[in-house]
């Protein structure tokens, strides 16, 4: 689903579609699999429902899991979609997934990426950890 793209991101292609909700969503099983492959450090028990940080065009946003979302689909709130070039969703688009260290940094610079529902990204990640998962989420 996602492949190594740069030092900070993986690149994937997902169908982007609108959602009536107020947060970005993807299928919960895919979300958990990607979360485990990309964000888990292997240190003890870690939650796998931590939001993924993705980027579409110029916008970063947290992505949560939801079983109602079709697989290989990114459901975005209308407020996010209006700031994109997508005019006729669903549309197959390239999406960037922030690697663990990049996501931690983005969340520290932009606390608005955290969700008010209590879900927070892991903090305190050791920046010396390797984050090289070329087949993440596949």
């Amino acid at each position: 689903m996602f492949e190594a793209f740069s030092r900070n991101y993986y690149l994937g292609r997902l169908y982007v579609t609108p959602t009536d909700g107020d947060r970005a969503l993807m299928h919960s099983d895919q979300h958990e699999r990607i979360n485990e492959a990309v964000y888990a450090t292997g240190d003890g028990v870690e939650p796998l429902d931590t939001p993924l940080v993705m980027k579409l065009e110029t916008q970063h946003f947290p992505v949560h899991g939801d079983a109602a979302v079709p697989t290989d689909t990114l459901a975005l709130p209308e407020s996010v979609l209006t700031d994109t070039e997508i005019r006729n969703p669903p549309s197959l688009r390239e999406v960037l997934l922030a690697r663990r260290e990049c996501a931690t940094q983005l969340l520290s610079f932009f606390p608005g990426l955290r969700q008010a529902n209590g879900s927070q990204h892991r903090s305190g990640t050791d920046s010396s950890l390797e984050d090289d998962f070329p087949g993440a989420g596949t």
Side-chain angles (χ1 to χ4, degrees):
M1 173 181 289
F2 287 91
E3 298 177 4
F5 176 71
S6 71
R7 180 182 166 115
N8 293 320
Y9 294 98
Y10 296 100
L11 176 66
R13 291 178 59 95
L14 297 172
Y15 287 96
V16 178
T17 190
T19 182
D20 293 334
D22 60 351
R23 60 188 189 170
L25 303 168
M26 70 183 306
H27 191 273
S28 54
D29 290 342
Q30 285 183 319
H31 181 276
E32 186 174 306
R33 230 178 9 257
I34 294 168
N35 203 313
E36 182 176 25
V38 178
Y39 291 167
T41 63
D43 296 332
V45 177
E46 298 176 283
L48 298 178
D49 61 348
T50 301
L52 303 171
V53 177
M54 292 192 183
K55 180 179 180 182
L56 177 65
E57 296 176 5
T58 62
Q59 297 179 82
H60 285 91
F61 42 84
V63 179
H64 299 268
D66 188 319
V69 177
T71 57
D72 299 327
T73 300
L74 177 61
L76 295 177
E78 290 288 343
S79 61
V80 175
L81 272 179
T82 57
D83 293 333
T84 69
E85 294 180 7
I86 299 172
R87 297 295 172 246
N88 192 19
S91 180
L92 186 61
R93 295 296 171 125
E94 291 181 341
V95 178
L96 295 174
L97 168 66
R99 291 179 183 246
R100 179 178 59 239
E101 293 170 5
C102 179
T104 301
Q105 186 176 34
L106 286 166
L107 290 169
S108 70
F109 289 145
F110 304 103
L113 287 178
R114 296 182 191 265
Q115 290 296 313
N117 67 2
S119 292
Q120 297 205 354
H121 197 279
R122 282 181 232 13
S123 59
T125 308
D126 181 357
S127 61
S128 67
L129 291 172
E130 288 295 320
D131 189 18
D132 189 16
F133 301 97
T138 58

